[in-house]
Structure formats: structure tokens, C-alpha cells
Amino acid sequence: MALEEQRVAIVTGGSKGIGKGIARGFAKAGYRVLVVSRNLAEAEAVAAEIGGGASGVAADLTTGEGNRAMAAAALDRYGAIDALCANAGAFPAAKLADMTEADFDFVINTNLKSTFLSVQACLPALKASGRGRVVLTSSITGPITGYPGWSHYGASKAGQLGFMRTAAIELAPFGVTVNAVMPGNILTEGLEGMGQDYLNKMADSIPMKRLGSVDDIAGAALYFASDAAAYVTGQTIVVDGGQVLPESLGALEAMEG
Ligand code: NAP
């Protein structure tokens, strides 16, 4: 494929976990990928690993300045932005009774405000692409489920879907689609921070009896970015091994019995 025919994707939070899986998936599919995180060395290391002309850039995506620098880097290096995977996020836990305003602001800014700022910064280039794609990484937590300690996180992830629906309408006339992947529990550096006990119990509560892999999420993101999904906008796909399906713990026990 000639270089000018290769599509360009930005993957935020591409230095680790789900973002790294998405970046690798897009590179394999022939995209030139800009890997974004606050840590330049980590972003560049992932870019070198996935190849295909990928490069890394450091940006704090909670700021307009960081997002504008990210979009400018993509345009300087590749001359286009065809897909934006707005995936950067964080999930520190705090129970409601102890949650500080700073805790709440941090999670909302990292997960929700960054989504808005990233899309806005890439908007002119996505419109110019004529086949622009925005793929958000939301979650089952918030839009469908809850978990103690994650009221702020759940609000940020449900908020992304509210943002998505109006953005999808506003951008539809430009051929730009906006969709969201809703992962269940995916084994990443971030999730490992929850501890082995959490990971074991979570795997047990999933009908497929395993945590998801980052490649499971990359596949769904690639679908939304593909030509096959040109007429799909404002939609979600749950990728969770069936985690949200059981009506109760009894539903899983009945399988074993
Ligand atoms: P992770 O392993 O902790 O990776 C998070 C990524 O986001 C890193 O590359 C991190 O790099 C980047 N990041 C965080 N804050 C940033 C900021 N202000 N500016 C730029 N980059 C920033 O997390 P993950 O588990 O892969 O999660 C990725 C996304 O999936 C998140 O949106 C999360 O909510 C969502 N999700 C995850 C799961 C799961 O089970 N893992 C489930 C549902 C949804 P730096 O820290 O170096 O900046």
C-alpha cells in the first residue's frame, strides 16, 4: 500500500493496556499510529514495538493545550487524522463517603473532559478525512453496572456515552462516525493494580471464566474504524465475555451444578 493511502490513527493512552492493544491492532491493519501518553519514553517504546511508521508523543490530555499538541503532531508527521481512539483513562477507587472533590475532578477530567478535548482538537482533520472515525473506550461500569469505589468512574464512563450521542449527530453530515467500545474486565497494567484477589473473583463471575485481553478490545475498535462500519454511528458494543448477562450469582452456579 502506498504511504499516502495508509490511514492515520491516534490512540490515546496507547502506552499501556487496552490502548497498547488497540495501537498494535491498528498498526497490524496498516494504519500509521500516533501513540499518546504523558510518558514520552513509554509511548515511543510502544511505537517502536508495533512498527508500521508509528511514533510516540507525550501529552497531558486533561488540557486543551495537550490535545492541540497531539493533533498537531499527527498532522506534522502524517498529514492526516482518519481515526481517533480516545482511550486514555484512569480508575482509582474511592468510596462515596471518603471521596474528595479532587478525587472526583481527577477522574472526570482524565476520562470525560479528555474525551471532549481530544475529539475537538482532531475535529478539523477528521472532517477533512471524509471517512473520519472516533472510537471511545467507555466501560460496562457506569453505563450498565456499578462497583463500590467507582461512582466517579462510572459517571465518567456513562458521561462518555452521553457525549457520544450528540457528537455523532453533529458529525454525521461530515461522514465522521462516533462509537464506543464498552469493555468488561480486561487484563491490563491498570487493572492489575486492583490486586490478585479482585482479578480472581472477577474472572469467576464472568461466564467465559476469564478476564478479557487487550486484543479482544482492539478487534471491536477496528470494526468501528473500518469501512464496514461506515453507516454505524452513536452505537456501543459490549466486550465482556458475557459478564453483564447473569441475573444473579445463582445463574452461574446453575451452570456448574
Ligand atoms: P492503563 O493500563 O492504566 O493505561 C492507561 C493509559 O492512559 C496509559 O497509557 C496512560 O499513560 C494513559 N493516560 C492516563 N492519564 C492520561 C492523561 N492525563 N493524558 C494522557 N494519557 C493518559 O489502563 P487500561 O486498563 O488500559 O484502561 C484504558 C481505558 O479503558 C480507560 O479509559 C479505562 O477506563 C477503560 N477500561 C478499562 C477496563 C479494564 O478492565 N482494564 C475496563 C473498562 C474500561 P500515562 O499514565 O503515562 O499518561
Side-chain angles (χ1 to χ4, degrees):
M1 195 188 308
L3 198 62
E4 61 275 10
E5 289 167 16
Q6 257 187 298
R7 297 186 188 182
V8 176
I10 293 179
V11 182
T12 75
S15 68
K16 289 186 194 128
I18 291 176
K20 183 175 174 182
I22 292 174
R24 190 170 48 225
F26 274 63
K28 266 192 201 159
Y31 287 77
R32 285 175 288 167
V33 178
L34 184 69
V35 178
V36 190
S37 77
R38 287 167 299 183
N39 185 312
L40 181 61
E42 288 179 6
E44 285 182 334
V46 169
E49 189 184 321
I50 66 177
S55 64
V57 72
D60 179 355
L61 301 175
T62 62
T63 69
E65 193 189 351
N67 282 281
R68 286 189 292 276
M70 169 186 83
L75 291 172
D76 282 355
R77 296 176 196 180
Y78 304 118
I81 304 170
D82 300 298
L84 165 67
C85 297
N87 163 85
F91 34 92
K95 294 262 176 63
L96 199 44
D98 310 318
M99 190 181 290
T100 63
E101 271 189 65
D103 292 336
F104 189 85
D105 288 346
F106 174 79
V107 168
I108 295 293
N109 288 343
T110 305
N111 299 349
L112 181 56
K113 186 179 172 194
S114 74
T115 298
F116 147 63
L117 290 172
S118 295
V119 173
Q120 193 182 53
C122 295
L123 207 46
L126 288 167
K127 286 180 181 172
S129 161
R131 56 192 179 202
R133 298 283 192 272
V134 177
V135 183
L136 309 181
T137 307
S138 174
S139 179
I140 58 169
T141 311
I144 302 179
T145 63
Y147 196 89
W150 279 340
S151 59
H152 50 359
Y153 177 74
S156 74
K157 293 285 139 180
Q160 285 182 297
L161 300 188
F163 169 85
M164 172 189 77
R165 294 191 178 100
T166 291
I169 294 173
E170 290 188 18
L171 302 186
F174 305 97
V176 177
T177 67
V178 190
N179 294 289
V181 182
M182 296 165 70
N185 279 265
I186 311 301
L187 195 55
T188 64
E189 290 88 331
L191 201 76
E192 275 168 2
M194 297 295 294
Q196 198 56 44
D197 189 48
Y198 170 94
L199 299 179
N200 292 344
K201 283 186 178 146
M202 201 47 88
D204 260 359
S205 72
I206 296 169
M208 288 191 183
K209 296 291 175 198
R210 68 168 176 91
L211 300 175
S213 76
V214 297
D215 296 332
D216 291 323
I217 305 306
L222 270 167
Y223 165 68
F224 280 138
S226 72
D227 290 341
Y231 203 53
V232 178
T233 194
Q235 301 305 311
T236 58
I237 183 166
V238 172
V239 183
D240 72 343
Q243 186 175 347
V244 299
L245 299 176
E247 287 185 11
S248 69
L249 283 177
L252 290 176
E253 283 158 16
M255 277 294 296
E256 284 152 17

